Coordinates of all heavy atoms in Angstrom, one line a residue:
L141 N 23.9 7.2 -0.1 CA 25.0 6.2 -0.1 C 24.7 5.0 -1.0 O 25.6 4.2 -1.3 CB 25.4 5.7 1.3 CG 25.9 6.8 2.3 CD1 26.0 6.2 3.7 CD2 27.2 7.4 1.8
S142 N 23.4 4.9 -1.4 CA 23.0 3.8 -2.2 C 22.7 4.3 -3.6 O 21.8 5.2 -3.7 CB 21.8 3.1 -1.6 OG 21.1 2.3 -2.6
K143 N 23.3 3.7 -4.6 CA 23.0 4.2 -6.0 C 21.5 4.0 -6.4 O 20.9 4.9 -7.0 CB 23.9 3.4 -7.0 CG 25.3 3.9 -7.0 CD 26.1 3.1 -8.0 CE 27.6 3.5 -8.0 NZ 28.4 2.7 -8.9
K144 N 21.0 2.9 -6.0 CA 19.6 2.6 -6.3 C 18.6 3.6 -5.6 O 17.7 4.1 -6.2 CB 19.2 1.2 -6.0 CG 17.8 0.8 -6.3 CD 17.4 -0.6 -6.0 CE 17.6 -1.5 -7.1 NZ 17.0 -2.9 -6.9
C145 N 18.9 3.8 -4.3 CA 18.1 4.7 -3.5 C 18.1 6.1 -4.1 O 17.0 6.7 -4.3 CB 18.5 4.7 -2.1 SG 17.4 5.6 -0.9
V146 N 19.3 6.7 -4.3 CA 19.3 8.0 -4.8 C 18.8 8.2 -6.2 O 18.1 9.2 -6.5 CB 20.8 8.6 -4.7 CG1 21.7 8.0 -5.7 CG2 20.8 10.1 -4.8
R147 N 19.0 7.1 -7.1 CA 18.5 7.2 -8.4 C 17.0 7.2 -8.5 O 16.3 8.1 -9.1 CB 19.0 6.0 -9.2 CG 18.5 6.0 -10.7 CD 19.1 4.9 -11.5 NE 19.0 3.6 -10.9 CZ 17.9 2.8 -11.1 NH1 16.9 3.3 -11.8 NH2 17.8 1.6 -10.6
L148 N 16.3 6.3 -7.7 CA 14.9 6.2 -7.8 C 14.2 7.4 -7.0 O 13.1 7.8 -7.3 CB 14.4 4.9 -7.2 CG 14.7 3.7 -8.1 CD1 14.4 2.4 -7.5 CD2 14.1 3.8 -9.5
R149 N 14.9 7.9 -6.0 CA 14.4 9.0 -5.2 C 14.4 10.3 -6.1 O 13.4 11.0 -6.2 CB 15.2 9.3 -4.0 CG 14.6 10.4 -3.1 CD 15.3 10.4 -1.7 NE 15.0 11.7 -1.1 CZ 15.7 12.8 -1.3 NH1 16.8 12.8 -2.1 NH2 15.4 13.9 -0.7
T150 N 15.5 10.5 -6.8 CA 15.6 11.6 -7.8 C 14.6 11.5 -8.9 O 14.0 12.5 -9.3 CB 17.1 11.6 -8.4 OG1 18.0 11.7 -7.3 CG2 17.3 12.8 -9.3
E151 N 14.4 10.3 -9.3 CA 13.4 10.0 -10.4 C 12.0 10.5 -10.0 O 11.4 11.2 -10.7 CB 13.4 8.5 -10.7 CG 12.9 8.2 -12.1 CD 13.2 6.7 -12.4 OE1 14.3 6.4 -12.8 OE2 12.2 5.9 -12.3
Y152 N 11.5 10.0 -8.9 CA 10.1 10.4 -8.5 C 10.0 11.8 -8.1 O 9.0 12.5 -8.5 CB 9.6 9.5 -7.4 CG 9.9 9.8 -6.0 CD1 9.3 10.9 -5.3 CD2 10.7 9.0 -5.2 CE1 9.6 11.2 -4.0 CE2 11.0 9.2 -3.9 CZ 10.4 10.4 -3.3 OH 10.7 10.6 -1.9
A153 N 11.1 12.4 -7.5 CA 11.1 13.8 -7.2 C 11.0 14.7 -8.4 O 10.3 15.7 -8.5 CB 12.3 14.2 -6.4
S154 N 11.7 14.2 -9.5 CA 11.7 15.0 -10.7 C 10.3 14.9 -11.4 O 9.8 15.9 -11.8 CB 12.8 14.4 -11.7 OG 12.6 14.8 -13.0
I155 N 9.7 13.7 -11.4 CA 8.4 13.6 -12.0 C 7.3 14.4 -11.2 O 6.5 15.1 -11.8 CB 8.0 12.1 -12.1 CG1 8.9 11.3 -13.0 CG2 6.5 11.9 -12.6 CD1 8.8 9.8 -12.8
C156 N 7.4 14.3 -9.9 CA 6.3 14.8 -9.1 C 6.5 16.4 -8.9 O 5.5 17.0 -8.5 CB 6.4 14.2 -7.7 SG 6.1 12.4 -7.7
T157 N 7.6 16.9 -9.3 CA 7.7 18.4 -9.2 C 7.5 19.1 -10.5 O 7.5 20.3 -10.6 CB 9.1 18.8 -8.7 OG1 10.2 18.1 -9.4 CG2 9.3 18.5 -7.2
R158 N 7.4 18.3 -11.6 CA 7.1 18.9 -12.9 C 5.7 19.5 -12.8 O 4.7 18.9 -12.3 CB 7.1 17.8 -14.0 CG 8.5 17.7 -14.6 CD 8.5 16.7 -15.7 NE 9.8 16.0 -15.7 CZ 10.1 14.8 -16.0 NH1 9.1 14.0 -16.4 NH2 11.3 14.3 -16.0
G159 N 5.5 20.6 -13.4 CA 4.2 21.3 -13.4 C 3.9 21.9 -12.1 O 2.8 22.1 -11.6
A160 N 5.0 22.3 -11.4 CA 4.8 23.0 -10.0 C 4.4 24.4 -10.1 O 4.1 25.1 -9.2 CB 6.1 22.8 -9.2
G161 N 4.5 25.0 -11.4 CA 4.1 26.4 -11.6 C 2.6 26.6 -11.3 O 1.8 25.6 -11.3
S162 N 2.2 27.8 -11.1 CA 0.8 28.1 -10.7 C -0.3 27.6 -11.7 O -1.4 27.2 -11.4 CB 0.6 29.6 -10.4 OG 1.0 30.3 -11.6
E163 N 0.1 27.6 -13.0 CA -0.9 27.2 -14.0 C -0.7 25.8 -14.5 O -1.6 25.2 -15.1 CB -0.7 28.2 -15.3 CG -1.1 29.6 -15.0 CD -0.8 30.5 -16.2 OE1 -0.6 30.0 -17.3 OE2 -0.9 31.7 -16.0
D164 N 0.4 25.2 -14.1 CA 0.6 23.8 -14.6 C 0.0 22.8 -13.6 O -0.2 23.1 -12.5 CB 2.2 23.5 -14.6 CG 2.9 24.4 -15.6 OD1 2.2 24.7 -16.6 OD2 4.0 24.8 -15.3
V165 N -0.3 21.6 -14.2 CA -0.9 20.6 -13.4 C 0.1 19.4 -13.5 O 0.5 19.0 -14.5 CB -2.3 20.1 -13.9 CG1 -2.8 19.0 -13.0 CG2 -3.2 21.3 -13.8
C166 N 0.5 18.8 -12.3 CA 1.4 17.7 -12.3 C 0.7 16.4 -12.9 O -0.5 16.3 -12.8 CB 2.0 17.4 -10.9 SG 0.8 16.6 -9.8
D167 N 1.5 15.5 -13.3 CA 1.0 14.2 -13.8 C 0.9 13.3 -12.6 O 1.9 12.6 -12.3 CB 1.9 13.7 -14.9 CG 1.3 12.4 -15.6 OD1 0.5 11.7 -15.0 OD2 1.7 12.2 -16.7
R168 N -0.2 13.3 -11.9 CA -0.3 12.5 -10.6 C -0.1 11.0 -10.9 O 0.5 10.4 -10.0 CB -1.7 12.8 -10.0 CG -1.9 12.0 -8.7 CD -3.1 12.4 -7.9 NE -2.7 13.7 -7.3 CZ -3.5 14.3 -6.4 NH1 -4.6 13.7 -6.0 NH2 -3.2 15.4 -5.8
R169 N -0.6 10.5 -12.0 CA -0.5 9.1 -12.2 C 1.0 8.7 -12.3 O 1.5 7.7 -11.7 CB -1.1 8.7 -13.6 CG -2.4 7.9 -13.4 CD -3.0 7.7 -14.8 NE -4.5 7.8 -14.7 CZ -5.2 6.7 -14.4 NH1 -4.6 5.6 -14.1 NH2 -6.5 6.8 -14.3
R170 N 1.8 9.5 -13.1 CA 3.2 9.2 -13.2 C 3.9 9.4 -11.9 O 4.9 8.6 -11.5 CB 3.8 10.1 -14.3 CG 3.5 9.6 -15.7 CD 4.4 10.3 -16.7 NE 5.8 9.9 -16.6 CZ 6.8 10.8 -16.7 NH1 6.6 12.0 -17.0 NH2 8.0 10.3 -16.6
C171 N 3.5 10.4 -11.1 CA 4.1 10.7 -9.8 C 3.9 9.5 -8.9 O 4.8 9.0 -8.2 CB 3.5 11.9 -9.2 SG 4.0 12.3 -7.5
H172 N 2.7 8.9 -8.9 CA 2.3 7.8 -8.1 C 3.1 6.6 -8.5 O 3.6 5.8 -7.7 CB 0.8 7.5 -8.1 CG 0.0 8.4 -7.2 ND1 -1.4 8.4 -7.3 CD2 0.4 9.2 -6.3 CE1 -1.8 9.3 -6.4 NE2 -0.8 9.8 -5.8
R173 N 3.3 6.4 -9.8 CA 4.1 5.3 -10.3 C 5.5 5.4 -9.9 O 6.1 4.4 -9.5 CB 4.0 5.2 -11.8 CG 4.2 3.8 -12.4 CD 4.0 3.8 -13.9 NE 2.8 4.4 -14.4 CZ 2.8 5.3 -15.4 NH1 3.9 5.7 -16.0 NH2 1.7 5.8 -15.8
G174 N 6.1 6.6 -9.9 CA 7.4 6.8 -9.5 C 7.6 6.5 -8.0 O 8.6 5.9 -7.5
L175 N 6.6 6.9 -7.2 CA 6.7 6.7 -5.7 C 6.6 5.2 -5.4 O 7.3 4.6 -4.6 CB 5.5 7.4 -5.0 CG 5.7 8.9 -4.7 CD1 4.4 9.5 -4.4 CD2 6.7 9.1 -3.6
R176 N 5.7 4.5 -6.2 CA 5.6 3.0 -6.0 C 6.9 2.3 -6.3 O 7.3 1.4 -5.6 CB 4.4 2.5 -6.8 CG 3.1 2.5 -6.1 CD 2.1 1.4 -6.6 NE 2.2 1.1 -8.0 CZ 1.4 1.7 -8.9 NH1 0.6 2.7 -8.5 NH2 1.5 1.4 -10.1

Side-chain angles (χ1 to χ4, degrees):
L141 297 173
S142 159
K143 285 181 182 176
K144 181 182 266 190
C145 187
V146 74
R147 176 172 60 81
L148 292 175
R149 184 172 166 271
T150 304
E151 201 172 279
Y152 85 70
S154 166
I155 296 166
C156 299
T157 48
R158 269 180 214 148
S162 56
E163 294 176 10
D164 299 325
V165 178
C166 77
D167 189 334
R168 176 167 287 188
R169 251 176 216 277
R170 284 194 66 217
C171 176
H172 279 170
R173 207 179 307 132
L175 280 166
R176 273 211 319 275

